[in-house]
Amino acid sequence: KMPKYAIVSEQGRRPAMEDAHRVEINFANKGWLFLAVYDGHGGAYAAQFTGQNLERFFLEEILKGNHPKEAFRAAYERISQELAHQESGTTAATCLIGDKILYCANAGDARILMVGENDAIQLSCDHRLNNEEEKKRVVEAGGIVDWPYATHPKTSEGLMVTRSLGDEWAKSFGIISDPYTSEYALQRSDLAVVIGCDGLFDELTNDEVATIVRQAPDMKTASETLRHQALDVRKGTDNLTIILLNVSEIFRKRESLMKRWTRIFRNVRK
């Protein structure tokens, strides 16, 4: 049975669509889930290339026996090297779900949010100048803070994010591709994981997103409400990409599978 998920992918009021996304429901032929949102800037090339290749690079690292967190780091670094010949860039928020564990990685301000019955836990880190560690690295590398942008000391070109894939022109003033990584064990009270670009999270808070998800009867309705809030009600001007995945089903399915195997094993022993 396929996991229940929904996707929003809209250009919004921007002149071009520079986002990309991926959902793989049988990653590595193991029944794992791979989810990703890539929010491009300076052109669509970096996001499209990352959408087509990061998953493959990540799988190659997994097949070498690397832990998912290390595999994400290596895949992000390889993508960045592959994008070095051009000027566009992209943020990334990526998630692998297998055996009731979420492995997350992100660079930039696309966000991963776990919505539970009573809480909302951010599993990613926003890489912007309001993060003091990020700001310190940019300033020490010679970057100029022209709020909210980290800018090149000579050209005044800038980025709102302090980590990204691509953006070779910005590496000299502290913009890096190394992702933040996290690991999370699914709880019985978890409802859905939401991965969204800043087109969502600049308009709605984590708690507002969580409330909408909790009140919706299914992922499709939740995605439509989030889209309506971000673009129509709050008049967001950015591209909008959101992936919502029902994780309560994954938890229940894994649990029932374990119970079934336990019963079979007991019967065999008898």
Side-chain angles (χ1 to χ4, degrees):
K1 188 180 176 184
M2 277 180 60
K4 290 178 181 171
Y5 64 91
I7 298 168
V8 174
S9 178
E10 291 210 12
Q11 185 174 321
R13 293 173 178 80
R14 285 288 172 91
M17 180 58 164
E18 295 179 334
D19 288 0
H21 65 273
R22 285 286 297 155
V23 174
E24 173 56 58
I25 60 171
N26 187 25
F27 185 76
N29 291 316
K30 293 181 182 291
W32 296 341
L33 294 154
F34 181 91
L35 314 171
V37 166
Y38 307 112
D39 180 0
H41 47 260
Y45 181 83
Q48 289 176 354
F49 180 87
T50 306
Q52 292 161 2
N53 293 283
L54 189 142
E55 182 183 344
R56 177 167 56 88
F57 296 166
F58 176 68
L59 176 58
E60 287 174 9
E61 296 297 323
I62 291 288
L63 294 176
K64 289 178 190 173
N66 287 330
H67 186 279
K69 285 182 173 181
E70 293 304 319
F72 272 130
R73 286 192 191 98
Y76 274 54
E77 174 59 28
R78 188 168 164 195
I79 286 286
S80 205
Q81 289 171 1
E82 295 274 357
L83 290 172
H85 68 285
Q86 55 82 62
E87 297 298 297
S88 69
T90 185
T91 70
T94 50
C95 185
L96 177 74
I97 307 174
D99 299 323
K100 294 200 287 191
I101 304 285
L102 271 76
Y103 301 98
C104 303
N106 83 288
D109 54 12
R111 199 176 284 181
I112 304 170
L113 184 70
M114 177 59 70
V115 177
E117 290 172 0
N118 303 303
D119 57 5
I121 302 168
Q122 185 171 323
L123 301 176
S124 56
C125 175
D126 296 343
H127 297 126
R128 285 185 174 181
L129 287 172
N130 54 6
N131 180 319
E132 285 301 319
E133 286 184 23
E134 296 297 299
K135 181 179 173 182
K136 183 170 181 277
R137 188 186 66 251
V138 168
V139 170
E140 286 178 353
I144 305 296
V145 174
D146 184 9
W147 192 265
Y149 299 99
T151 63
H152 194 287
K154 292 180 180 174
T155 67
S156 296
E157 278 186 283
L159 285 174
M160 195 177 283
V161 292
T162 53
R163 300 193 192 200
S164 67
L165 302 173
D167 293 315
E168 192 65 20
W169 61 274
K171 299 289 189 242
S172 63
F173 60 91
I175 306 302
I176 62 173
S177 60
D178 189 41
Y180 170 85
T181 61
S182 65
E183 187 174 324
Y184 178 83
L186 274 178
Q187 309 297 309
R188 190 186 296 276
S189 58
D190 291 331
L191 301 175
V193 65
V194 181
I195 307 180
C197 65
D198 64 339
L200 173 66
F201 288 106
D202 278 351
E203 305 302 329
L204 284 85
T205 66
N206 288 353
D207 286 339
E208 287 173 326
V209 170
T211 299
I212 287 170
V213 171
R214 286 188 203 110
Q215 292 175 348
D218 52 52
M219 295 296 100
K220 188 171 190 303
T221 306
S223 72
E224 289 167 351
T225 306
L226 290 171
R227 189 215 70 80
H228 174 62
Q229 279 291 326
L231 294 180
D232 303 331
V233 177
R234 311 197 184 195
K235 308 296 183 189
T237 58
D238 204 350
N239 297 154
L240 181 65
T241 301
I242 315 166
I243 299 171
L244 296 95
L245 174 75
N246 183 330
V247 295
S248 61
E249 280 195 344
I250 294 171
F251 194 97
R252 285 199 302 270
K253 193 163 70 176
R254 287 269 187 267
E255 235 178 22
S256 65
L257 193 64
M258 289 301 291
K259 283 176 183 171
R260 195 160 77 239
W261 276 109
T262 303
R263 278 200 308 272
I264 292 168
F265 182 62
R266 279 179 187 152
N267 290 335
V268 167
R269 288 181 70 182
K270 283 176 185 174

